[in-house]
Amino acid sequence: MGKKTVVTWLGETEAHDYPAAASYLSLLYDAAKVTELITSLETAVMTNFLAKDIFRASGLSLLGVSNSHVQKDIKKVRKGIPLSPLLLARDQLASRLIIADGYHRLCAVYTFDEDAVIPCKIV
């Protein structure tokens, strides 16, 4: 049996992830709601969820390893470079989870282990 790939994570979300999350969320919500969500994410406590559960709650499909952003994150994992935690938002009206930032990282990690524990901030 081969050696299992270990995914390492940063202890805090990288600063550039918040504007990326805001950009995505602005497609779904008005400016006031985006500001509210980003402010809440910035102060949210880090928590953990399983990769497979995040996918199930989001309703999104797994991107293949041919996606260039997923490839980049797979290379980071193999080199032992820590990944930034995910930023998540609950859309209670639609009963689904929004991956505001980190979709490609999630897909990359899932290729190694669907039961991987993913650090994230969720609001």
Side-chain angles (χ1 to χ4, degrees), residues 29-54:
Y29 301 107
D30 64 33
K33 181 67 173 178
V34 171
T35 299
E36 174 191 330
L37 288 169
I38 294 301
T39 300
S40 295
L41 282 167
E42 289 172 337
T43 59
V45 175
M46 198 67 66
T47 189
N48 298 296
F49 295 100
L50 297 179
K52 65 184 178 185
D53 291 340
I54 295 170

mmCIF file of all heavy atoms in Angstrom, residues 29-54:
data_model
loop_
_atom_site.group_PDB
_atom_site.id
_atom_site.type_symbol
_atom_site.label_atom_id
_atom_site.label_comp_id
_atom_site.label_asym_id
_atom_site.label_seq_id
_atom_site.Cartn_x
_atom_site.Cartn_y
_atom_site.Cartn_z
ATOM 1 N N TYR A 29 -25.682 38.125 -4.587
ATOM 2 C CA TYR A 29 -26.313 39.028 -3.622
ATOM 3 C C TYR A 29 -26.001 40.485 -3.951
ATOM 4 O O TYR A 29 -25.024 40.780 -4.637
ATOM 5 C CB TYR A 29 -25.796 38.727 -2.206
ATOM 6 C CG TYR A 29 -26.051 37.315 -1.750
ATOM 7 C CD1 TYR A 29 -25.016 36.395 -1.660
ATOM 8 C CD2 TYR A 29 -27.330 36.887 -1.406
ATOM 9 C CE1 TYR A 29 -25.240 35.093 -1.236
ATOM 10 C CE2 TYR A 29 -27.566 35.585 -0.982
ATOM 11 C CZ TYR A 29 -26.519 34.700 -0.903
ATOM 12 O OH TYR A 29 -26.750 33.416 -0.498
ATOM 13 N N ASP A 30 -26.796 41.382 -3.366
ATOM 14 C CA ASP A 30 -26.519 42.807 -3.534
ATOM 15 C C ASP A 30 -25.312 43.207 -2.671
ATOM 16 O O ASP A 30 -24.851 42.432 -1.827
ATOM 17 C CB ASP A 30 -27.751 43.662 -3.226
ATOM 18 C CG ASP A 30 -28.223 43.567 -1.781
ATOM 19 O OD1 ASP A 30 -27.388 43.399 -0.861
ATOM 20 O OD2 ASP A 30 -29.438 43.677 -1.561
ATOM 21 N N ALA A 31 -24.825 44.421 -2.899
ATOM 22 C CA ALA A 31 -23.596 44.891 -2.251
ATOM 23 C C ALA A 31 -23.689 44.865 -0.727
ATOM 24 O O ALA A 31 -22.723 44.497 -0.041
ATOM 25 C CB ALA A 31 -23.247 46.289 -2.745
ATOM 26 N N ALA A 32 -24.835 45.237 -0.185
ATOM 27 C CA ALA A 32 -24.988 45.260 1.270
ATOM 28 C C ALA A 32 -24.869 43.854 1.864
ATOM 29 O O ALA A 32 -24.208 43.656 2.898
ATOM 30 C CB ALA A 32 -26.331 45.883 1.649
ATOM 31 N N LYS A 33 -25.482 42.883 1.223
ATOM 32 C CA LYS A 33 -25.414 41.497 1.711
ATOM 33 C C LYS A 33 -23.990 40.950 1.586
ATOM 34 O O LYS A 33 -23.502 40.247 2.471
ATOM 35 C CB LYS A 33 -26.407 40.611 0.935
ATOM 36 C CG LYS A 33 -26.429 39.165 1.396
ATOM 37 C CD LYS A 33 -26.965 39.026 2.802
ATOM 38 C CE LYS A 33 -27.134 37.563 3.174
ATOM 39 N NZ LYS A 33 -27.598 37.388 4.546
ATOM 40 N N VAL A 34 -23.302 41.277 0.488
ATOM 41 C CA VAL A 34 -21.920 40.828 0.299
ATOM 42 C C VAL A 34 -21.039 41.397 1.407
ATOM 43 O O VAL A 34 -20.243 40.674 2.017
ATOM 44 C CB VAL A 34 -21.387 41.224 -1.099
ATOM 45 C CG1 VAL A 34 -19.891 40.951 -1.202
ATOM 46 C CG2 VAL A 34 -22.151 40.476 -2.181
ATOM 47 N N THR A 35 -21.193 42.678 1.698
ATOM 48 C CA THR A 35 -20.409 43.303 2.766
ATOM 49 C C THR A 35 -20.684 42.615 4.100
ATOM 50 O O THR A 35 -19.760 42.330 4.867
ATOM 51 C CB THR A 35 -20.729 44.811 2.856
ATOM 52 O OG1 THR A 35 -20.376 45.424 1.612
ATOM 53 C CG2 THR A 35 -19.976 45.477 3.991
ATOM 54 N N GLU A 36 -21.941 42.342 4.368
ATOM 55 C CA GLU A 36 -22.317 41.650 5.608
ATOM 56 C C GLU A 36 -21.663 40.273 5.695
ATOM 57 O O GLU A 36 -21.102 39.897 6.731
ATOM 58 C CB GLU A 36 -23.841 41.515 5.665
ATOM 59 C CG GLU A 36 -24.360 40.695 6.822
ATOM 60 C CD GLU A 36 -25.845 40.368 6.684
ATOM 61 O OE1 GLU A 36 -26.593 41.163 6.091
ATOM 62 O OE2 GLU A 36 -26.246 39.294 7.175
ATOM 63 N N LEU A 37 -21.717 39.517 4.613
ATOM 64 C CA LEU A 37 -21.136 38.165 4.606
ATOM 65 C C LEU A 37 -19.622 38.200 4.773
ATOM 66 O O LEU A 37 -19.056 37.424 5.548
ATOM 67 C CB LEU A 37 -21.519 37.434 3.317
ATOM 68 C CG LEU A 37 -22.969 36.986 3.208
ATOM 69 C CD1 LEU A 37 -23.291 36.524 1.792
ATOM 70 C CD2 LEU A 37 -23.268 35.880 4.214
ATOM 71 N N ILE A 38 -18.954 39.088 4.049
ATOM 72 C CA ILE A 38 -17.489 39.156 4.120
ATOM 73 C C ILE A 38 -17.055 39.599 5.513
ATOM 74 O O ILE A 38 -16.117 39.034 6.094
ATOM 75 C CB ILE A 38 -16.916 40.080 3.021
ATOM 76 C CG1 ILE A 38 -17.180 39.493 1.630
ATOM 77 C CG2 ILE A 38 -15.419 40.318 3.241
ATOM 78 C CD1 ILE A 38 -16.587 38.113 1.385
ATOM 79 N N THR A 39 -17.731 40.578 6.086
ATOM 80 C CA THR A 39 -17.407 41.024 7.446
ATOM 81 C C THR A 39 -17.572 39.871 8.428
ATOM 82 O O THR A 39 -16.729 39.662 9.310
ATOM 83 C CB THR A 39 -18.294 42.217 7.848
ATOM 84 O OG1 THR A 39 -18.055 43.288 6.927
ATOM 85 C CG2 THR A 39 -17.988 42.691 9.256
ATOM 86 N N SER A 40 -18.633 39.110 8.273
ATOM 87 C CA SER A 40 -18.869 37.950 9.142
ATOM 88 C C SER A 40 -17.807 36.873 8.935
ATOM 89 O O SER A 40 -17.338 36.263 9.905
ATOM 90 C CB SER A 40 -20.258 37.369 8.891
ATOM 91 O OG SER A 40 -21.253 38.284 9.258
ATOM 92 N N LEU A 41 -17.423 36.630 7.690
ATOM 93 C CA LEU A 41 -16.389 35.630 7.411
ATOM 94 C C LEU A 41 -15.043 36.031 8.013
ATOM 95 O O LEU A 41 -14.309 35.183 8.534
ATOM 96 C CB LEU A 41 -16.243 35.410 5.899
ATOM 97 C CG LEU A 41 -17.310 34.549 5.251
ATOM 98 C CD1 LEU A 41 -17.252 34.665 3.727
ATOM 99 C CD2 LEU A 41 -17.168 33.092 5.682
ATOM 100 N N GLU A 42 -14.723 37.308 7.949
ATOM 101 C CA GLU A 42 -13.440 37.780 8.479
ATOM 102 C C GLU A 42 -13.313 37.527 9.979
ATOM 103 O O GLU A 42 -12.213 37.285 10.474
ATOM 104 C CB GLU A 42 -13.255 39.264 8.177
ATOM 105 C CG GLU A 42 -13.002 39.537 6.717
ATOM 106 C CD GLU A 42 -13.002 41.006 6.352
ATOM 107 O OE1 GLU A 42 -13.601 41.832 7.086
ATOM 108 O OE2 GLU A 42 -12.403 41.345 5.315
ATOM 109 N N THR A 43 -14.428 37.549 10.692
ATOM 110 C CA THR A 43 -14.386 37.360 12.143
ATOM 111 C C THR A 43 -14.838 35.963 12.581
ATOM 112 O O THR A 43 -14.807 35.656 13.778
ATOM 113 C CB THR A 43 -15.262 38.421 12.845
ATOM 114 O OG1 THR A 43 -16.607 38.300 12.383
ATOM 115 C CG2 THR A 43 -14.736 39.831 12.573
ATOM 116 N N ALA A 44 -15.241 35.139 11.632
ATOM 117 C CA ALA A 44 -15.730 33.791 11.964
ATOM 118 C C ALA A 44 -14.606 32.930 12.531
ATOM 119 O O ALA A 44 -13.434 33.081 12.177
ATOM 120 C CB ALA A 44 -16.326 33.129 10.722
ATOM 121 N N VAL A 45 -14.994 32.019 13.384
ATOM 122 C CA VAL A 45 -14.060 31.066 13.974
ATOM 123 C C VAL A 45 -13.811 29.945 12.969
ATOM 124 O O VAL A 45 -14.728 29.503 12.269
ATOM 125 C CB VAL A 45 -14.655 30.495 15.285
ATOM 126 C CG1 VAL A 45 -13.765 29.415 15.873
ATOM 127 C CG2 VAL A 45 -14.890 31.611 16.287
ATOM 128 N N MET A 46 -12.587 29.473 12.920
ATOM 129 C CA MET A 46 -12.243 28.362 12.036
ATOM 130 C C MET A 46 -12.929 27.090 12.543
ATOM 131 O O MET A 46 -12.996 26.838 13.746
ATOM 132 C CB MET A 46 -10.725 28.166 12.026
ATOM 133 C CG MET A 46 -10.216 27.370 10.872
ATOM 134 S SD MET A 46 -10.408 28.172 9.263
ATOM 135 C CE MET A 46 -9.321 29.565 9.433
ATOM 136 N N THR A 47 -13.459 26.313 11.611
ATOM 137 C CA THR A 47 -14.098 25.044 11.941
ATOM 138 C C THR A 47 -13.670 24.022 10.898
ATOM 139 O O THR A 47 -12.897 24.348 9.990
ATOM 140 C CB THR A 47 -15.638 25.203 12.005
ATOM 141 O OG1 THR A 47 -16.197 23.995 12.527
ATOM 142 C CG2 THR A 47 -16.232 25.523 10.659
ATOM 143 N N ASN A 48 -14.135 22.802 11.000
ATOM 144 C CA ASN A 48 -13.748 21.738 10.069
ATOM 145 C C ASN A 48 -14.968 20.954 9.608
ATOM 146 O O ASN A 48 -15.873 20.694 10.400
ATOM 147 C CB ASN A 48 -12.783 20.757 10.748
ATOM 148 C CG ASN A 48 -11.502 21.398 11.169
ATOM 149 O OD1 ASN A 48 -10.735 21.862 10.345
ATOM 150 N ND2 ASN A 48 -11.261 21.440 12.468
ATOM 151 N N PHE A 49 -14.925 20.572 8.326
ATOM 152 C CA PHE A 49 -15.927 19.689 7.754
ATOM 153 C C PHE A 49 -15.237 18.703 6.825
ATOM 154 O O PHE A 49 -14.166 18.990 6.300
ATOM 155 C CB PHE A 49 -16.983 20.480 6.958
ATOM 156 C CG PHE A 49 -17.821 21.392 7.794
ATOM 157 C CD1 PHE A 49 -17.541 22.743 7.857
ATOM 158 C CD2 PHE A 49 -18.892 20.900 8.527
ATOM 159 C CE1 PHE A 49 -18.307 23.599 8.632
ATOM 160 C CE2 PHE A 49 -19.667 21.744 9.307
ATOM 161 C CZ PHE A 49 -19.369 23.092 9.354
ATOM 162 N N LEU A 50 -15.873 17.566 6.588
ATOM 163 C CA LEU A 50 -15.336 16.590 5.642
ATOM 164 C C LEU A 50 -15.555 17.076 4.216
ATOM 165 O O LEU A 50 -16.602 17.663 3.897
ATOM 166 C CB LEU A 50 -16.018 15.236 5.816
ATOM 167 C CG LEU A 50 -15.815 14.536 7.159
ATOM 168 C CD1 LEU A 50 -16.580 13.207 7.167
ATOM 169 C CD2 LEU A 50 -14.351 14.318 7.451
ATOM 170 N N ALA A 51 -14.586 16.803 3.348
ATOM 171 C CA ALA A 51 -14.672 17.221 1.945
ATOM 172 C C ALA A 51 -15.973 16.730 1.308
ATOM 173 O O ALA A 51 -16.673 17.498 0.635
ATOM 174 C CB ALA A 51 -13.464 16.705 1.172
ATOM 175 N N LYS A 52 -16.310 15.475 1.526
ATOM 176 C CA LYS A 52 -17.510 14.912 0.890
ATOM 177 C C LYS A 52 -18.778 15.601 1.369
ATOM 178 O O LYS A 52 -19.722 15.765 0.605
ATOM 179 C CB LYS A 52 -17.586 13.402 1.097
ATOM 180 C CG LYS A 52 -17.756 12.956 2.539
ATOM 181 C CD LYS A 52 -17.712 11.442 2.654
ATOM 182 C CE LYS A 52 -17.832 10.986 4.094
ATOM 183 N NZ LYS A 52 -17.659 9.529 4.184
ATOM 184 N N ASP A 53 -18.804 16.037 2.629
ATOM 185 C CA ASP A 53 -19.988 16.716 3.157
ATOM 186 C C ASP A 53 -20.126 18.123 2.580
ATOM 187 O O ASP A 53 -21.243 18.579 2.314
ATOM 188 C CB ASP A 53 -19.941 16.768 4.677
ATOM 189 C CG ASP A 53 -20.121 15.395 5.313
ATOM 190 O OD1 ASP A 53 -20.650 14.487 4.628
ATOM 191 O OD2 ASP A 53 -19.734 15.232 6.484
ATOM 192 N N ILE A 54 -18.999 18.792 2.380
ATOM 193 C CA ILE A 54 -19.041 20.123 1.762
ATOM 194 C C ILE A 54 -19.607 20.005 0.353
ATOM 195 O O ILE A 54 -20.467 20.789 -0.054
ATOM 196 C CB ILE A 54 -17.651 20.783 1.763
ATOM 197 C CG1 ILE A 54 -17.184 21.049 3.198
ATOM 198 C CG2 ILE A 54 -17.669 22.088 0.957
ATOM 199 C CD1 ILE A 54 -15.739 21.483 3.319
#
